Amino acid sequence: MQQTRYAYIKNGDVITQLERLEKTTDSKTTSGPDAFLNDLLSTIGSSPILLLGHGTRNAKYHHRNIIAKVFSERFQVVGKAPARALALLRVLLNLLIFRPNRIVCGRTGGILWICTIISWLYQAPLVHSRHNQVIFEKLPWYRRFALSIDRWCIRHALGVVCHGPYLKKQLLDINVSPSKVYEFDLDFSDMLENVEPRSQNVTELFNPSTVLFLGRVQENKGIYDLLNAMTKPLHRSNNLKLVYAGDGPDLENLRRDIKLRNLTEKVTCLGAVAHKDIARLMARSKVVVTPTRPEFPEGRCMVVMEAQIAGVPVIAPDFGPFPFLIEHQVNGLLFKPGSLDDLSDQLHRMLDDERLYKTLKSGAEARGIKLRRPEYTFSEAVLRTFSLLPEQR
């Protein structure tokens, strides 16, 4: 019997992700984009799979059943447009040569359109994987036109797997059939197994008054908003600390800003943190803050879920997926998106009102128990859509 041939087209440098998965000592990778790739690869076993992604280089990888290719979407001399056009052509040619009979596409725009054409040409069922916002406002006409084609492709795919209830609602709002939508989440059942300290730089930094940011260190994730909101409290308090955990394009600029504010003794940037350290890192924090700015198209904030599983309340903006995870004054606090004043007010309440804090911590613990095992993981949702699990569509 011929093996099923999968094609998975996704955001990011898939070869770098594969290399990280090869190096990890974790039995399961349940954090970030690597988790979804690891989940799918573990589930399909030895079936042939073509992985296509984009990055700052052109690269190839071939090991056992996996063929992976990364296409650069920017040339140094002539810029983005020619590079993106060539990347589209390469995606098309590789799919034509590979002849998949199952396609999973996590991209939009031209890549999604090509996957739809290949799906029609080879009669290969297409599943769209949705991790980010679906509905956008105030777009220029050409973006609205492209978005209308995206939505047509999504509605005509075999099905859509989406990360959490917020994205499911948005898909239903653009008239995707409810029978085609499967909501997934990560399996966090292993997260709290990592209770012993794994790295000294993580465990020595924390005290009962630590505010933690965990995620990609970039401006639209609200890193400077948090620093601005915390500057006065940090100068006033001897015990209060702020820790940034994560890597990103603005890490060095953030470190310079911290130094200019004379906060190097109070604010620490850890850089990238191993997944096995996340549970302990959060458990040693009083509060996790995800100050994402409204222009960032958040789909499902993993950090909020991880914090609640660790029993730590979260402060987050009141937009997008956050109200689907945080009930204001029950398991966390919500602030007006983009408002530095409201972020500062909610931080003050969280840090200074012990009675409120105990309520929020109890609520976070209760919500965390419900999040540990979802109805479907990513691969289960994909295979359910392909009708490959025992339970049929």
Side-chain angles (χ1 to χ4, degrees):
M1 184 176 177
Q2 187 177 9
Q3 284 185 301
T4 302
R5 297 172 65 81
Y6 290 89
Y8 182 20
I9 302 90
K10 67 187 300 294
N11 286 306
D13 189 325
V14 292
I15 295 178
T16 297
Q17 292 178 17
L18 287 169
E19 290 169 348
R20 284 199 296 262
L21 290 174
E22 288 177 351
K23 292 178 182 177
T24 184
T25 58
D26 294 350
S27 59
K28 296 176 70 178
T29 299
T30 61
S31 182
D34 295 359
F36 304 111
L37 178 58
N38 185 56
D39 184 22
L40 185 61
L41 292 177
S42 299
T43 301
I44 68 170
S46 61
S47 296
I49 183 168
L50 173 68
L51 297 172
L52 300 177
H54 69 277
T56 57
R57 59 174 178 161
N58 291 304
K60 294 187 289 188
Y61 171 104
H62 190 183
H63 181 65
R64 296 179 182 172
N65 62 312
I66 302 172
I67 299 172
K69 295 186 179 182
V70 174
F71 304 124
S72 174
E73 292 192 335
R74 183 176 181 85
F75 291 147
Q76 290 184 349
V77 178
V78 293
K80 291 183 179 181
R84 287 179 174 175
L86 182 58
L88 282 171
L89 179 61
R90 286 172 169 169
V91 169
L92 175 61
L93 291 175
N94 275 273
L95 288 171
L96 285 169
I97 293 169
F98 187 73
R99 298 182 68 90
N101 42 33
R102 297 285 187 273
I103 303 172
V104 182
C105 179
R107 299 288 301 273
T108 55
I111 301 291
L112 176 59
W113 309 346
I114 286 173
C115 288
T116 302
I117 293 169
I118 294 295
S119 171
W120 171 80
L121 183 65
Y122 288 147
Q123 296 297 294
L126 168 66
V127 170
H128 179 57
S129 172
R130 197 76 196 191
H131 299 257
N132 288 317
Q133 190 174 330
V134 177
I135 297 173
F136 300 89
E137 298 179 359
K138 299 180 181 179
L139 295 176
W141 70 267
Y142 57 89
R143 289 285 305 278
R144 294 198 302 271
F145 177 72
L147 189 60
S148 68
I149 302 175
D150 286 348
R151 290 178 177 180
W152 186 92
C153 293
I154 293 169
R155 286 193 291 265
H156 287 80
L158 173 68
V160 186
V161 297
C162 63
H163 196 186
Y166 167 63
L167 294 181
K168 181 176 181 179
K169 181 181 183 301
Q170 289 212 323
L171 288 164
L172 298 179
D173 287 345
I174 64 167
N175 298 319
V176 178
S177 171
S179 65
K180 286 187 172 185
V181 181
Y182 286 100
E183 179 186 333
F184 67 85
D185 255 318
L186 291 176
D187 183 352
F188 293 100
S189 57
D190 70 320
M191 182 176 168
L192 296 181
E193 294 175 5
N194 297 299
V195 292
E196 293 301 320
R198 300 300 182 95
S199 58
Q200 191 174 8
N201 70 318
V202 168
T203 59
E204 287 188 345
L205 290 169
F206 294 87
N207 62 42
S209 296
T210 295
V211 175
L212 174 66
F213 171 94
L214 176 66
R216 187 161 174 77
V217 181
Q218 60 190 53
E219 185 173 4
N220 56 11
K221 283 285 193 175
I223 56 170
Y224 299 116
D225 290 347
L226 178 58
L227 184 61
N228 288 332
M230 288 289 295
T231 295
K232 287 183 180 179
L234 285 166
H235 279 302
R236 287 197 302 261
S237 172
N238 292 325
N239 295 322
L240 190 61
K241 285 181 177 288
L242 172 60
V243 175
Y244 289 90
D247 202 352
D250 293 319
L251 180 58
E252 292 308 314
N253 287 336
L254 178 63
R255 284 173 169 157
R256 283 193 289 269
D257 199 354
I258 291 166
K259 187 175 182 180
L260 287 173
R261 297 174 190 234
N262 296 317
L263 287 172
T264 52
E265 298 298 319
K266 297 291 189 72
V267 184
T268 303
C269 294
L270 291 176
V273 174
H275 172 68
K276 62 180 178 292
D277 287 321
I278 289 176
R280 186 149 187 98
L281 189 155
M282 286 184 165
R284 288 175 170 264
S285 303
K286 182 166 187 175
V287 58
V288 172
V289 184
T290 57
T292 306
R293 297 193 58 81
E295 62 266 24
F296 187 84
E298 196 81 68
R300 179 73 158 166
C301 186
M302 301 307 302
V303 173
V304 175
M305 300 174 71
E306 290 167 336
Q308 292 180 346
I309 288 168
V312 181
V314 180
I315 298 175
D318 189 8
F319 82 99
F322 298 105
F324 287 81
L325 289 165
I326 298 171
E327 187 175 353
H328 186 57
Q329 300 188 143
V330 175
N331 61 347
L333 296 175
L334 295 168
F335 67 92
K336 183 179 178 181
S339 172
L340 181 60
D341 289 341
D342 199 19
L343 172 59
S344 298
D345 289 344
Q346 301 308 324
L347 277 164
H348 173 74
R349 296 180 67 203
M350 180 76 76
L351 295 172
D352 296 339
D353 188 337
E354 282 301 317
R355 184 174 180 179
L356 173 64
Y357 181 78
K358 289 178 181 178
T359 298
L360 300 178
K361 184 168 178 59
S362 177
E365 290 169 350
R367 182 62 184 267
I369 292 172
K370 297 179 181 179
L371 291 172
R372 292 184 189 182
R373 183 61 175 89
E375 181 179 2
Y376 293 116
T377 65
F378 175 63
S379 65
E380 289 168 349
V382 168
L383 295 183
R384 175 78 192 277
T385 310
F386 283 137
S387 303
L388 297 180
L389 289 179
E391 184 179 5
Q392 298 294 311
R393 287 176 61 86

